[in-house]
mmCIF file of all heavy atoms in Angstrom:
data_model
loop_
_atom_site.group_PDB
_atom_site.id
_atom_site.type_symbol
_atom_site.label_atom_id
_atom_site.label_comp_id
_atom_site.label_asym_id
_atom_site.label_seq_id
_atom_site.Cartn_x
_atom_site.Cartn_y
_atom_site.Cartn_z
ATOM 1 N N GLN A 182 -60.440 -31.114 -139.283
ATOM 2 C CA GLN A 182 -61.125 -31.700 -140.439
ATOM 3 C C GLN A 182 -60.751 -33.160 -140.644
ATOM 4 O O GLN A 182 -61.528 -33.948 -141.158
ATOM 5 C CB GLN A 182 -60.793 -30.903 -141.713
ATOM 6 C CG GLN A 182 -61.315 -29.478 -141.709
ATOM 7 C CD GLN A 182 -60.393 -28.514 -140.990
ATOM 8 O OE1 GLN A 182 -59.419 -28.928 -140.370
ATOM 9 N NE2 GLN A 182 -60.705 -27.225 -141.066
ATOM 10 N N GLU A 183 -59.549 -33.494 -140.205
ATOM 11 C CA GLU A 183 -59.051 -34.860 -140.355
ATOM 12 C C GLU A 183 -59.803 -35.841 -139.479
ATOM 13 O O GLU A 183 -59.995 -36.996 -139.837
ATOM 14 C CB GLU A 183 -57.565 -34.877 -139.927
ATOM 15 C CG GLU A 183 -56.646 -35.604 -140.875
ATOM 16 C CD GLU A 183 -55.242 -35.603 -140.336
ATOM 17 O OE1 GLU A 183 -54.727 -34.526 -139.991
ATOM 18 O OE2 GLU A 183 -54.681 -36.699 -140.236
ATOM 19 N N VAL A 184 -60.235 -35.358 -138.313
ATOM 20 C CA VAL A 184 -60.784 -36.240 -137.291
ATOM 21 C C VAL A 184 -62.303 -36.144 -137.204
ATOM 22 O O VAL A 184 -62.987 -37.159 -137.080
ATOM 23 C CB VAL A 184 -60.160 -35.911 -135.914
ATOM 24 C CG1 VAL A 184 -60.772 -36.773 -134.821
ATOM 25 C CG2 VAL A 184 -58.648 -36.079 -135.960
ATOM 26 N N ALA A 185 -62.838 -34.937 -137.295
ATOM 27 C CA ALA A 185 -64.241 -34.717 -136.950
ATOM 28 C C ALA A 185 -65.214 -35.273 -137.965
ATOM 29 O O ALA A 185 -66.344 -35.603 -137.621
ATOM 30 C CB ALA A 185 -64.497 -33.225 -136.753
ATOM 31 N N GLY A 186 -64.832 -35.379 -139.225
ATOM 32 C CA GLY A 186 -65.756 -35.911 -140.222
ATOM 33 C C GLY A 186 -66.577 -34.819 -140.882
ATOM 34 O O GLY A 186 -66.613 -33.674 -140.429
ATOM 35 N N PRO A 187 -67.268 -35.153 -141.975
ATOM 36 C CA PRO A 187 -67.963 -34.132 -142.784
ATOM 37 C C PRO A 187 -69.088 -33.432 -142.037
ATOM 38 O O PRO A 187 -69.399 -32.282 -142.345
ATOM 39 C CB PRO A 187 -68.497 -34.948 -143.971
ATOM 40 C CG PRO A 187 -68.564 -36.368 -143.472
ATOM 41 C CD PRO A 187 -67.425 -36.510 -142.525
ATOM 42 N N HIS A 188 -69.723 -34.079 -141.083
ATOM 43 C CA HIS A 188 -70.855 -33.455 -140.415
ATOM 44 C C HIS A 188 -70.429 -32.325 -139.472
ATOM 45 O O HIS A 188 -71.220 -31.443 -139.172
ATOM 46 C CB HIS A 188 -71.646 -34.499 -139.612
ATOM 47 C CG HIS A 188 -72.445 -35.425 -140.462
ATOM 48 N ND1 HIS A 188 -71.897 -36.576 -141.009
ATOM 49 C CD2 HIS A 188 -73.720 -35.364 -140.909
ATOM 50 C CE1 HIS A 188 -72.819 -37.187 -141.731
ATOM 51 N NE2 HIS A 188 -73.930 -36.482 -141.679
ATOM 52 N N PHE A 189 -69.182 -32.369 -139.010
ATOM 53 C CA PHE A 189 -68.737 -31.394 -138.023
ATOM 54 C C PHE A 189 -67.595 -30.510 -138.529
ATOM 55 O O PHE A 189 -67.026 -29.759 -137.751
ATOM 56 C CB PHE A 189 -68.269 -32.119 -136.751
ATOM 57 C CG PHE A 189 -69.250 -33.126 -136.239
ATOM 58 C CD1 PHE A 189 -68.941 -34.477 -136.219
ATOM 59 C CD2 PHE A 189 -70.488 -32.729 -135.792
ATOM 60 C CE1 PHE A 189 -69.851 -35.402 -135.750
ATOM 61 C CE2 PHE A 189 -71.403 -33.653 -135.316
ATOM 62 C CZ PHE A 189 -71.091 -34.991 -135.293
ATOM 63 N N THR A 190 -67.270 -30.581 -139.788
ATOM 64 C CA THR A 190 -66.070 -29.923 -140.294
ATOM 65 C C THR A 190 -66.151 -28.411 -140.213
ATOM 66 O O THR A 190 -65.202 -27.744 -139.815
ATOM 67 C CB THR A 190 -65.799 -30.353 -141.751
ATOM 68 O OG1 THR A 190 -65.588 -31.762 -141.771
ATOM 69 C CG2 THR A 190 -64.580 -29.650 -142.303
ATOM 70 N N THR A 191 -67.296 -27.833 -140.581
ATOM 71 C CA THR A 191 -67.365 -26.379 -140.722
ATOM 72 C C THR A 191 -67.775 -25.659 -139.446
ATOM 73 O O THR A 191 -67.720 -24.433 -139.405
ATOM 74 C CB THR A 191 -68.378 -26.016 -141.817
ATOM 75 O OG1 THR A 191 -69.666 -26.538 -141.455
ATOM 76 C CG2 THR A 191 -67.958 -26.612 -143.151
ATOM 77 N N MET A 192 -68.137 -26.390 -138.398
ATOM 78 C CA MET A 192 -68.759 -25.716 -137.273
ATOM 79 C C MET A 192 -67.780 -24.964 -136.370
ATOM 80 O O MET A 192 -68.194 -24.197 -135.516
ATOM 81 C CB MET A 192 -69.570 -26.701 -136.430
ATOM 82 C CG MET A 192 -68.881 -27.950 -135.943
ATOM 83 S SD MET A 192 -67.771 -27.736 -134.551
ATOM 84 C CE MET A 192 -68.854 -26.922 -133.429
ATOM 85 N N VAL A 193 -66.473 -25.149 -136.520
ATOM 86 C CA VAL A 193 -65.516 -24.433 -135.678
ATOM 87 C C VAL A 193 -65.032 -23.147 -136.311
ATOM 88 O O VAL A 193 -64.176 -22.473 -135.773
ATOM 89 C CB VAL A 193 -64.292 -25.330 -135.346
ATOM 90 C CG1 VAL A 193 -64.714 -26.508 -134.504
ATOM 91 C CG2 VAL A 193 -63.583 -25.774 -136.600
ATOM 92 N N ALA A 194 -65.561 -22.793 -137.453
ATOM 93 C CA ALA A 194 -65.105 -21.579 -138.124
ATOM 94 C C ALA A 194 -65.503 -20.334 -137.340
ATOM 95 O O ALA A 194 -64.757 -19.354 -137.279
ATOM 96 C CB ALA A 194 -65.666 -21.519 -139.539
ATOM 97 N N ASP A 195 -66.681 -20.327 -136.760
ATOM 98 C CA ASP A 195 -67.174 -19.161 -136.034
ATOM 99 C C ASP A 195 -67.468 -19.535 -134.588
ATOM 100 O O ASP A 195 -67.782 -20.678 -134.274
ATOM 101 C CB ASP A 195 -68.450 -18.617 -136.689
ATOM 102 C CG ASP A 195 -68.206 -18.196 -138.132
ATOM 103 O OD1 ASP A 195 -67.186 -17.532 -138.369
ATOM 104 O OD2 ASP A 195 -69.028 -18.546 -138.995
ATOM 105 N N THR A 196 -67.397 -18.516 -133.716
ATOM 106 C CA THR A 196 -67.737 -18.742 -132.320
ATOM 107 C C THR A 196 -69.254 -18.790 -132.152
ATOM 108 O O THR A 196 -70.002 -18.374 -133.026
ATOM 109 C CB THR A 196 -67.171 -17.612 -131.441
ATOM 110 O OG1 THR A 196 -67.696 -16.363 -131.910
ATOM 111 C CG2 THR A 196 -65.658 -17.570 -131.524
ATOM 112 N N GLY A 197 -69.675 -19.304 -131.001
ATOM 113 C CA GLY A 197 -71.104 -19.361 -130.724
ATOM 114 C C GLY A 197 -71.562 -20.781 -130.500
ATOM 115 O O GLY A 197 -70.764 -21.703 -130.316
ATOM 116 N N GLN A 198 -72.858 -20.950 -130.527
ATOM 117 C CA GLN A 198 -73.485 -22.240 -130.252
ATOM 118 C C GLN A 198 -74.264 -22.700 -131.470
ATOM 119 O O GLN A 198 -74.903 -21.920 -132.159
ATOM 120 C CB GLN A 198 -74.431 -22.119 -129.053
ATOM 121 C CG GLN A 198 -75.112 -23.417 -128.664
ATOM 122 C CD GLN A 198 -76.027 -23.231 -127.467
ATOM 123 O OE1 GLN A 198 -76.201 -22.122 -126.973
ATOM 124 N NE2 GLN A 198 -76.626 -24.313 -126.992
ATOM 125 N N THR A 199 -74.203 -23.996 -131.733
ATOM 126 C CA THR A 199 -74.950 -24.552 -132.850
ATOM 127 C C THR A 199 -75.329 -25.990 -132.524
ATOM 128 O O THR A 199 -74.675 -26.648 -131.721
ATOM 129 C CB THR A 199 -74.128 -24.505 -134.153
ATOM 130 O OG1 THR A 199 -74.926 -24.982 -135.229
ATOM 131 C CG2 THR A 199 -72.893 -25.380 -134.052
ATOM 132 N N THR A 200 -76.402 -26.448 -133.158
ATOM 133 C CA THR A 200 -76.861 -27.828 -132.990
ATOM 134 C C THR A 200 -76.644 -28.564 -134.298
ATOM 135 O O THR A 200 -77.039 -28.077 -135.361
ATOM 136 C CB THR A 200 -78.351 -27.873 -132.606
ATOM 137 O OG1 THR A 200 -78.530 -27.168 -131.373
ATOM 138 C CG2 THR A 200 -78.816 -29.304 -132.426
ATOM 139 N N ILE A 201 -76.009 -29.733 -134.215
ATOM 140 C CA ILE A 201 -75.653 -30.490 -135.408
ATOM 141 C C ILE A 201 -76.244 -31.891 -135.298
ATOM 142 O O ILE A 201 -76.152 -32.535 -134.246
ATOM 143 C CB ILE A 201 -74.124 -30.565 -135.579
ATOM 144 C CG1 ILE A 201 -73.565 -29.167 -135.840
ATOM 145 C CG2 ILE A 201 -73.750 -31.498 -136.722
ATOM 146 C CD1 ILE A 201 -72.068 -29.142 -136.022
ATOM 147 N N HIS A 202 -76.845 -32.345 -136.397
ATOM 148 C CA HIS A 202 -77.402 -33.698 -136.455
ATOM 149 C C HIS A 202 -76.404 -34.615 -137.156
ATOM 150 O O HIS A 202 -75.944 -34.322 -138.270
ATOM 151 C CB HIS A 202 -78.731 -33.687 -137.217
ATOM 152 C CG HIS A 202 -79.803 -32.921 -136.506
ATOM 153 N ND1 HIS A 202 -80.748 -33.520 -135.708
ATOM 154 C CD2 HIS A 202 -80.051 -31.588 -136.454
ATOM 155 C CE1 HIS A 202 -81.556 -32.594 -135.199
ATOM 156 N NE2 HIS A 202 -81.155 -31.411 -135.648
ATOM 157 N N GLY A 203 -76.041 -35.698 -136.484
ATOM 158 C CA GLY A 203 -75.090 -36.645 -137.045
ATOM 159 C C GLY A 203 -75.730 -37.555 -138.070
ATOM 160 O O GLY A 203 -76.954 -37.573 -138.277
ATOM 161 N N ALA A 204 -74.888 -38.318 -138.737
ATOM 162 C CA ALA A 204 -75.359 -39.209 -139.799
ATOM 163 C C ALA A 204 -76.273 -40.305 -139.263
ATOM 164 O O ALA A 204 -77.167 -40.785 -139.957
ATOM 165 C CB ALA A 204 -74.157 -39.830 -140.518
ATOM 166 N N ALA A 205 -76.070 -40.711 -138.011
ATOM 167 C CA ALA A 205 -76.866 -41.805 -137.433
ATOM 168 C C ALA A 205 -78.110 -41.307 -136.699
ATOM 169 O O ALA A 205 -78.743 -42.070 -135.981
ATOM 170 C CB ALA A 205 -75.999 -42.618 -136.473
ATOM 171 N N GLY A 206 -78.424 -40.015 -136.860
ATOM 172 C CA GLY A 206 -79.591 -39.471 -136.192
ATOM 173 C C GLY A 206 -79.308 -38.880 -134.836
ATOM 174 O O GLY A 206 -80.216 -38.368 -134.174
ATOM 175 N N ASP A 207 -78.048 -38.958 -134.374
ATOM 176 C CA ASP A 207 -77.717 -38.366 -133.097
ATOM 177 C C ASP A 207 -77.630 -36.845 -133.232
ATOM 178 O O ASP A 207 -77.382 -36.309 -134.299
ATOM 179 C CB ASP A 207 -76.393 -38.928 -132.555
ATOM 180 C CG ASP A 207 -75.369 -39.124 -133.654
ATOM 181 O OD1 ASP A 207 -75.670 -38.807 -134.810
ATOM 182 O OD2 ASP A 207 -74.267 -39.607 -133.352
ATOM 183 N N VAL A 208 -77.810 -36.141 -132.111
ATOM 184 C CA VAL A 208 -77.853 -34.686 -132.108
ATOM 185 C C VAL A 208 -76.815 -34.175 -131.103
ATOM 186 O O VAL A 208 -76.724 -34.681 -129.981
ATOM 187 C CB VAL A 208 -79.254 -34.166 -131.728
ATOM 188 C CG1 VAL A 208 -79.312 -32.644 -131.870
ATOM 189 C CG2 VAL A 208 -80.324 -34.819 -132.583
ATOM 190 N N TYR A 209 -76.041 -33.156 -131.522
ATOM 191 C CA TYR A 209 -74.986 -32.617 -130.673
ATOM 192 C C TYR A 209 -75.139 -31.105 -130.560
ATOM 193 O O TYR A 209 -75.453 -30.422 -131.532
ATOM 194 C CB TYR A 209 -73.592 -32.938 -131.243
ATOM 195 C CG TYR A 209 -73.286 -34.407 -131.289
ATOM 196 C CD1 TYR A 209 -73.541 -35.143 -132.445
ATOM 197 C CD2 TYR A 209 -72.759 -35.067 -130.193
ATOM 198 C CE1 TYR A 209 -73.272 -36.499 -132.501
ATOM 199 C CE2 TYR A 209 -72.486 -36.428 -130.240
ATOM 200 C CZ TYR A 209 -72.742 -37.140 -131.400
ATOM 201 O OH TYR A 209 -72.478 -38.482 -131.446
ATOM 202 N N ASP A 210 -74.901 -30.624 -129.343
ATOM 203 C CA ASP A 210 -74.838 -29.190 -129.102
ATOM 204 C C ASP A 210 -73.365 -28.794 -129.036
ATOM 205 O O ASP A 210 -72.613 -29.310 -128.206
ATOM 206 C CB ASP A 210 -75.535 -28.847 -127.786
ATOM 207 C CG ASP A 210 -75.387 -27.384 -127.423
ATOM 208 O OD1 ASP A 210 -76.059 -26.556 -128.061
ATOM 209 O OD2 ASP A 210 -74.595 -27.071 -126.510
ATOM 210 N N PHE A 211 -72.943 -27.891 -129.922
ATOM 211 C CA PHE A 211 -71.547 -27.456 -129.988
ATOM 212 C C PHE A 211 -71.435 -26.001 -129.555
ATOM 213 O O PHE A 211 -72.229 -25.150 -129.973
ATOM 214 C CB PHE A 211 -71.010 -27.591 -131.420
ATOM 215 C CG PHE A 211 -70.469 -28.954 -131.738
ATOM 216 C CD1 PHE A 211 -71.310 -29.941 -132.228
ATOM 217 C CD2 PHE A 211 -69.133 -29.253 -131.560
ATOM 218 C CE1 PHE A 211 -70.833 -31.199 -132.529
ATOM 219 C CE2 PHE A 211 -68.640 -30.515 -131.855
ATOM 220 C CZ PHE A 211 -69.493 -31.485 -132.344
ATOM 221 N N ARG A 212 -70.444 -25.737 -128.710
ATOM 222 C CA ARG A 212 -70.113 -24.368 -128.319
ATOM 223 C C ARG A 212 -68.643 -24.126 -128.655
ATOM 224 O O ARG A 212 -67.772 -24.897 -128.234
ATOM 225 C CB ARG A 212 -70.350 -24.149 -126.821
ATOM 226 C CG ARG A 212 -71.809 -24.333 -126.413
ATOM 227 C CD ARG A 212 -71.966 -24.272 -124.906
ATOM 228 N NE ARG A 212 -73.333 -24.595 -124.513
ATOM 229 C CZ ARG A 212 -74.282 -23.692 -124.296
ATOM 230 N NH1 ARG A 212 -73.983 -22.407 -124.446
ATOM 231 N NH2 ARG A 212 -75.496 -24.050 -123.945
ATOM 232 N N VAL A 213 -68.384 -23.062 -129.400
ATOM 233 C CA VAL A 213 -67.030 -22.743 -129.845
ATOM 234 C C VAL A 213 -66.628 -21.412 -129.226
ATOM 235 O O VAL A 213 -67.336 -20.408 -129.373
ATOM 236 C CB VAL A 213 -66.945 -22.658 -131.379
ATOM 237 C CG1 VAL A 213 -65.517 -22.350 -131.813
ATOM 238 C CG2 VAL A 213 -67.418 -23.962 -131.999
ATOM 239 N N VAL A 214 -65.500 -21.409 -128.493
ATOM 240 C CA VAL A 214 -65.018 -20.206 -127.824
ATOM 241 C C VAL A 214 -63.581 -19.956 -128.250
ATOM 242 O O VAL A 214 -62.727 -20.842 -128.135
ATOM 243 C CB VAL A 214 -65.092 -20.352 -126.287
ATOM 244 C CG1 VAL A 214 -64.592 -19.092 -125.603
ATOM 245 C CG2 VAL A 214 -66.514 -20.666 -125.851
ATOM 246 N N LYS A 215 -63.320 -18.764 -128.758
ATOM 247 C CA LYS A 215 -61.959 -18.375 -129.106
ATOM 248 C C LYS A 215 -61.241 -17.862 -127.852
ATOM 249 O O LYS A 215 -61.748 -17.010 -127.139
ATOM 250 C CB LYS A 215 -61.972 -17.270 -130.171
ATOM 251 C CG LYS A 215 -62.668 -17.648 -131.463
ATOM 252 C CD LYS A 215 -61.918 -18.721 -132.218
ATOM 253 C CE LYS A 215 -62.600 -19.030 -133.563
ATOM 254 N NZ LYS A 215 -61.917 -20.088 -134.313
ATOM 255 N N ILE A 216 -60.058 -18.410 -127.581
ATOM 256 C CA ILE A 216 -59.268 -17.971 -126.429
ATOM 257 C C ILE A 216 -58.602 -16.648 -126.772
ATOM 258 O O ILE A 216 -58.013 -16.499 -127.851
ATOM 259 C CB ILE A 216 -58.210 -19.023 -126.075
ATOM 260 C CG1 ILE A 216 -58.885 -20.365 -125.769
ATOM 261 C CG2 ILE A 216 -57.386 -18.565 -124.870
ATOM 262 C CD1 ILE A 216 -57.908 -21.496 -125.566
ATOM 263 N N GLU A 217 -58.696 -15.677 -125.857
ATOM 264 C CA GLU A 217 -58.088 -14.371 -126.080
ATOM 265 C C GLU A 217 -56.908 -14.185 -125.129
ATOM 266 O O GLU A 217 -57.057 -14.313 -123.914
ATOM 267 C CB GLU A 217 -59.111 -13.255 -125.866
ATOM 268 C CG GLU A 217 -60.207 -13.226 -126.928
ATOM 269 C CD GLU A 217 -61.090 -12.011 -126.795
ATOM 270 O OE1 GLU A 217 -60.743 -11.125 -125.976
ATOM 271 O OE2 GLU A 217 -62.109 -11.932 -127.493
ATOM 272 N N ALA A 218 -55.741 -13.877 -125.703
ATOM 273 C CA ALA A 218 -54.562 -13.600 -124.901
ATOM 274 C C ALA A 218 -54.590 -12.147 -124.442
ATOM 275 O O ALA A 218 -55.425 -11.343 -124.875
ATOM 276 C CB ALA A 218 -53.292 -13.879 -125.708
ATOM 277 N N VAL A 219 -53.662 -11.777 -123.549
ATOM 278 C CA VAL A 219 -53.619 -10.415 -123.022
ATOM 279 C C VAL A 219 -53.371 -9.406 -124.126
ATOM 280 O O VAL A 219 -53.914 -8.294 -124.117
ATOM 281 C CB VAL A 219 -52.522 -10.313 -121.930
ATOM 282 C CG1 VAL A 219 -52.416 -8.894 -121.409
ATOM 283 C CG2 VAL A 219 -52.813 -11.278 -120.794
ATOM 284 N N ASP A 220 -52.559 -9.785 -125.121
ATOM 285 C CA ASP A 220 -52.240 -8.848 -126.210
ATOM 286 C C ASP A 220 -53.311 -8.814 -127.295
ATOM 287 O O ASP A 220 -53.141 -8.163 -128.327
ATOM 288 C CB ASP A 220 -50.890 -9.216 -126.836
ATOM 289 C CG ASP A 220 -50.882 -10.646 -127.395
ATOM 290 O OD1 ASP A 220 -51.927 -11.327 -127.308
ATOM 291 O OD2 ASP A 220 -49.823 -11.067 -127.901
ATOM 292 N N GLY A 221 -54.425 -9.527 -127.080
ATOM 293 C CA GLY A 221 -55.507 -9.513 -128.043
ATOM 294 C C GLY A 221 -55.436 -10.597 -129.093
ATOM 295 O O GLY A 221 -56.371 -10.753 -129.885
ATOM 296 N N SER A 222 -54.355 -11.362 -129.114
ATOM 297 C CA SER A 222 -54.232 -12.439 -130.091
ATOM 298 C C SER A 222 -55.085 -13.637 -129.677
ATOM 299 O O SER A 222 -55.591 -13.700 -128.565
ATOM 300 C CB SER A 222 -52.765 -12.860 -130.235
ATOM 301 O OG SER A 222 -52.280 -13.366 -128.999
ATOM 302 N N CYS A 223 -55.209 -14.596 -130.586
ATOM 303 C CA CYS A 223 -56.005 -15.799 -130.320
ATOM 304 C C CYS A 223 -55.095 -17.019 -130.390
ATOM 305 O O CYS A 223 -54.799 -17.527 -131.481
ATOM 306 C CB CYS A 223 -57.142 -15.918 -131.333
ATOM 307 S SG CYS A 223 -58.151 -17.393 -131.118
ATOM 308 N N PRO A 224 -54.644 -17.515 -129.229
ATOM 309 C CA PRO A 224 -53.731 -18.667 -129.237
ATOM 310 C C PRO A 224 -54.413 -20.005 -129.469
ATOM 311 O O PRO A 224 -53.737 -21.014 -129.591
ATOM 312 C CB PRO A 224 -53.117 -18.628 -127.828
ATOM 313 C CG PRO A 224 -54.160 -17.974 -126.986
ATOM 314 C CD PRO A 224 -54.864 -16.987 -127.876
#
């Protein structure tokens, strides 16, 4: 949240793919993947 700015702050909460429009009209495709350890935890 410190670095990404208000347009991208909430998009890492859930896994999956999303398209985000920046303040300057630019468009970004974001993919969020949770890493799974052998014991099932998320490091």
